Amino acid sequence: MPYPTLMSPITLGPLTLKNRVVMGSMHTGLEEGHDPAPLAAFYAERAAGGVGLIVTGGIAPNPHGAVYAGAAGLFSDKDITFHRSVTDAVHQSGGRIAMQILHAGRYAYSPGCVAPSPIKSPISPFAPRELTGDEVNAELNDFVTSALRARQAGYDGVEVMGSEGYFLNQFLVTHTNKRGDEWGGDYAGRMRAPVQAVARIRAALGPDFLIIYRISLIDLIPNGSTWDEVLHLARAIKKAGANVLNTGIGWHEARVPTIATSVPRGAFVHLAAKLKAAQILPVIATNRINTPDLAEDILARGDADLISMARPFLADSAFVAKAAAGQAAQIAPCIACNQACLDHTFSGKSATCLVNPRAGRELSLRYDPAATLKRITIVGGGAAGMMAAIVAATRGHSVTLYEAAGALGGQLNLAKQVPGKEEFLGLVAWFTAEVARLGVVVNLNVRADLNDLIGADEVIIATGTAPRALAIDGADSALTYADVLRGAPVGPRVAVIGAGAIGFDVAEYLVTGAHSPSLDLAHWQREWGVGDPAVQAGGLSTPQPDAPARQVTLMQRKAGKLGRRLGKTTGWIHRAQLEAKGVEMLASVAYRAITKKGVLIAQNGLERLIEVDSVVICAGQISQRDLADQAIAAGLRVHIIGGADVAAELDAKRAIAQGAELAAAI
Ligand code: NAP
Ligand code: SF4
């Protein structure tokens, strides 16, 4: 049996799980719908895919504890009926599901938010109201009511959310708890609320109901918990009646990335291992674990008892089934980009997945066998073309794919050169392997022409984009981002023209030395100042970034802060990385000319020469669609997708979704 430890059963209090894989809590945006069917289908597909236990997205115990006004809660019989549809669907698919009780405290995005002390979080515009002692009691009783309703709704257990800087976590540290009453003061007082939440739930529900407590192992905020406090809390939580400790890493307001793609895989497992070594309760390891191999290694080493993965279950609902069947290479990899999941959630959109556009759309986007089998010719083996090929072939069509380069991948092959984006290597490998497995006929090193398209029932043009050239003097002496990421030599002083996602990536590539910190945990911890909570409270030490490999100036024509349109949950990381490397960031720039000495610019009416050795243009793209125009003129049935369709702000998310949707409909 592959992954023998990961696939072995485990008993947690009243519940035996068939394997040690937990699908971690994730808000999908489907929780707030009127119709439970999409959420039920989402979870049921994951349960059918073999995961041992699902933990739902956070469900509020009361309206003011909801992450935003109107976010999901279990407040009424109607809510219970909604959730019953979800639990029934999961159970019918052979799964188990626990509901996470999430009180956001001062992170609730609403003026009515409450907290132990009236201290505003840096990531919220709303200052919380300080609760009275009686009100703290009432909040904790709402946790109990919520757990009772969860059982009524058919859940197998609850997870009490005590980490990530939410309500219960806010009681634990002096950073957010300045109270002098029984809910504050010394650590015994500060941990009273989380411990009481668990104890009261256990008292009300009896022994036959799973209680998971999510404990913060490293707060990554000033005056966070010490390791002794973490252990002290863990012991008290055990005594209060929890069956298992899930682990949380970093408060949401922490200025250290904890789940982004540049965080090394398994970066926080050593802390789960330390907790496990204390032998208090079974421990669930989390954060940046996205392959069955890594999960198995962690368990086999004895570093944890279970593995929680959240986003990987968006990327592939059959993660566990494929791993168990020895088909791990077929698992669509989560690349930890956040682009279609967390970035969506934080923009008020339903979560889906860049790699798997079906995630969250299980009922509406289906890859059913095609009624009429067709010959489909696809030109362009980038993200859009490969996804279209995979979905079309899955549905039974005969697919032929042309790619002008010597390998599939298109722009993804550039992305994977960027330090911190190593996950793209696995994504390209997965796409390439799936295309082959599904019998797509691949023609590499062939620039298809009209003759290659004749005879196809449907033609899909996914020829992508070319870098936009600049219409200024000397522009032809500059490098394009594609040149640079393919390894063209670049001098020690560089000007980057264009500060979109690619300008930031190129700047990152240029300032990083030969070794990517994302592949070296100690290096990454040093760069970000991640310490040991046993030494520094909260685990924050002083960042010690390496000196930049080059001196870089990054420019844009727009006014305002650079990188404003980067990913909602990751833009700050890219900005912080470049700032740490001393990258000069210039806005409101007019480019005059590129000369042998550098770039002549005007900024706020003043001319200035940016003296550099190399200039790199990252000024967006233009569509490549000559072949599309010819094919249309020849009367073929033509579909244009990806960058060939719209170059502006093209990204892999849109390209892949467009490829999948088209191929699902043909
Ligand atoms: P972009 O984000 O649209 O940025 C283009 C940049 O070029 C902007 O800074 C723009 O700013 C500048 N620009 C546009 N026209 C110009 C012109 N004629 N002369 C000078 N400057 C000009 O495009 P991108 O950086 O090429 O990225 C393309 C897409 O790839 C992104 O939208 C993104 O979705 C995707 N991508 C995503 C990631 C990711 O991690 N999420 C990473 C890489 C790429 P001004 O107009 O202010 O100068
Ligand atoms: Fe993972 Fe990106 Fe998909 Fe989110 S959108 S699940 S981070 S691959």
Side-chain angles (χ1 to χ4, degrees):
M1 154 83 86
Y3 311 111
T5 331
L6 191 64
M7 297 304 160
S8 62
I10 184 167
T11 299
L12 303 171
L15 202 63
T16 297
L17 304 178
K18 61 187 170 195
N19 57 51
R20 289 158 185 253
V21 187
V22 178
M23 174 176 163
S25 176
M26 245 181 324
H27 187 84
T28 64
L30 302 174
E31 295 82 356
E32 283 78 27
H34 294 295
D35 178 7
L39 185 63
F42 169 76
Y43 283 131
E45 191 168 305
R46 273 94 196 141
V51 65
L53 176 69
I54 293 169
V55 180
T56 66
I59 303 295
N62 53 38
H64 52 269
V67 278
Y68 58 86
L74 259 184
F75 309 138
S76 65
D77 287 350
K78 205 169 124 238
D79 291 336
I80 293 172
T81 309
F82 181 100
H83 284 264
R84 173 56 83 172
S85 304
V86 171
T87 58
D88 282 350
V90 168
H91 292 145
Q92 279 156 21
S93 301
R96 297 289 199 172
I97 184 163
M99 189 190 86
Q100 187 188 73
I101 307 176
L102 168 65
H103 189 311
R106 70 177 192 156
Y107 281 169
Y109 197 81
S110 85
C113 61
V114 298
S117 297
I119 306 165
K120 195 177 87 61
S121 142
I123 56 169
S124 170
F126 305 107
R129 183 176 67 77
E130 177 173 316
L131 293 165
T132 66
D134 286 349
E135 286 174 331
V136 174
N137 257 311
E139 298 296 313
L140 299 178
N141 288 339
D142 287 344
F143 277 77
V144 178
T145 309
S146 195
L148 286 165
R149 287 181 178 147
R151 185 167 64 181
Q152 239 184 306
Y155 284 105
D156 298 293
V158 289
E159 174 171 276
V160 177
M161 182 41 151
S163 64
E164 261 60 20
Y166 288 115
F167 182 65
L168 295 176
N169 210 174
Q170 290 158 24
F171 278 91
L172 288 170
V173 296
T174 55
H175 189 69
T176 42
N177 185 347
K178 311 284 185 198
R179 301 177 73 97
D181 65 1
E182 59 176 325
W183 304 108
D186 61 8
Y187 195 66
R190 299 204 305 276
M191 76 173 189
R192 194 181 311 278
V195 173
Q196 277 293 306
V198 174
R200 291 181 195 187
I201 292 172
R202 179 56 79 208
L205 280 101
D208 297 332
F209 196 63
L210 175 73
I211 301 179
I212 308 165
Y213 182 81
R214 185 130 180 228
I215 188 168
S216 181
L217 297 186
I218 181 167
D219 294 334
L220 297 171
I221 53 153
N223 307 317
S225 290
T226 64
W227 189 252
D228 278 349
E229 288 170 344
V230 171
L231 292 184
H232 195 53
L233 175 66
R235 290 191 182 100
I237 290 289
K238 177 187 180 178
K239 218 167 141 203
N243 304 110
V244 52
L245 292 170
N246 193 1
T247 52
I249 305 295
W251 287 35
H252 284 319
E253 67 201 62
R255 292 292 88 185
V256 174
T258 54
I259 59 166
T261 191
S262 56
V263 176
R265 283 186 183 174
F268 298 96
V269 169
H270 61 287
L271 294 169
K274 245 176 114 168
L275 180 61
K276 165 119 168 89
Q279 298 189 339
I280 299 167
L281 278 173
V283 171
I284 308 177
T286 60
N287 282 56
R288 288 293 283 121
I289 303 169
N290 63 346
T291 67
D293 294 80
L294 177 56
E296 174 70 18
D297 284 352
I298 294 165
L299 296 184
R301 279 199 309 263
D303 284 356
D305 301 282
L306 299 102
I307 301 293
S308 173
M309 292 173 271
R311 297 170 298 171
F313 283 98
L314 288 177
D316 199 328
S317 57
F319 183 104
V320 174
K322 288 178 182 174
Q327 297 164 344
Q330 290 179 32
I331 297 172
C334 165
I335 55 171
C337 64
N338 285 0
Q339 274 179 260
C341 51
L342 285 177
D343 285 351
H344 274 209
T345 303
F346 283 89
S347 320
K349 290 191 259 179
S350 289
T352 177
C353 175
L354 176 139
V355 175
N356 173 22
R358 282 196 69 243
R361 298 161 71 194
E362 284 71 19
L363 297 176
S364 55
L365 180 59
R366 302 186 55 87
Y367 304 156
D368 294 331
T372 311
L373 296 184
K374 296 180 176 173
R375 284 160 302 168
I376 298 179
T377 296
I378 302 176
V379 187
M386 290 188 294
M387 192 66 184
I390 287 170
V391 175
T394 300
R395 298 186 57 228
H397 294 305
S398 300
V399 184
T400 302
L401 178 61
Y402 289 93
E403 167 56 45
L408 296 177
Q411 301 284 309
L412 301 178
N413 287 325
L414 297 182
K416 74 186 190 193
Q417 304 301 334
V418 178
K421 289 201 158 179
E422 290 80 7
E423 292 288 355
F424 278 80
L425 283 161
L427 181 59
V428 175
W430 175 80
F431 266 125
T432 307
E434 282 297 279
V435 163
R437 185 179 69 82
L438 291 162
V440 174
V441 177
V442 178
N443 299 290
L444 298 176
N445 297 306
V446 179
R447 191 169 286 280
D449 63 23
L450 195 54
N451 288 328
D452 297 309
L453 311 184
I454 306 294
D457 299 315
E458 310 272 354
V459 172
I460 300 178
I461 301 288
T463 42
T465 59
R468 177 187 282 125
L470 286 198
I472 58 169
D473 282 351
D476 46 6
S477 68
L479 297 163
T480 67
Y481 62 82
D483 299 330
V484 171
L485 295 176
R486 285 190 190 115
V490 183
R493 298 168 309 161
V494 194
V496 177
I497 293 184
I502 290 179
F504 268 76
D505 273 358
V506 166
E508 185 72 40
Y509 173 89
L510 294 171
V511 295
T512 306
H515 302 291
S516 169
S518 301
L519 300 178
D520 177 348
L521 180 58
H523 185 178
W524 179 84
Q525 287 172 327
R526 210 171 53 241
E527 291 243 338
W528 283 98
V530 178
D532 180 351
V535 180
Q536 300 107 344
L540 274 190
S541 68
T542 309
Q544 293 174 301
D546 285 357
R550 294 182 183 81
Q551 180 192 316
V552 172
T553 303
L554 180 60
M555 298 178 281
Q556 70 178 21
R557 298 174 304 176
K558 281 186 284 295
K561 196 160 75 173
L562 273 69
R564 200 172 256 167
R565 286 170 45 225
L566 296 175
K568 198 132 182 125
T569 61
T570 53
W572 67 272
I573 302 170
H574 297 297
R575 274 192 302 275
Q577 271 167 324
L578 296 192
E579 278 161 14
K581 299 285 182 186
V583 171
E584 185 184 21
M585 301 199 199
L586 303 180
S588 307
V589 170
Y591 309 110
R592 297 279 193 247
I594 297 172
T595 71
K596 284 205 169 78
K597 288 187 174 163
V599 188
L600 187 62
I601 65 164
Q603 203 186 16
N604 306 321
L606 294 177
E607 285 215 338
R608 176 183 163 192
L609 176 69
I610 311 284
E611 285 188 62
V612 290
D613 310 296
S614 308
V615 178
V616 187
I617 298 179
C618 307
Q621 293 82 24
I622 50 166
S623 296
Q624 299 197 108
R625 52 194 296 172
D626 294 353
L627 185 58
D629 295 339
Q630 291 171 33
I632 292 168
L636 301 178
R637 282 180 61 84
V638 177
H639 312 267
I640 308 171
I641 60 172
D645 176 28
V646 183
E649 287 194 36
L650 171 77
D651 61 29
K653 180 183 77 175
R654 189 154 61 78
I656 290 171
Q658 209 181 5
E661 285 160 12
L662 170 65
I666 286 181

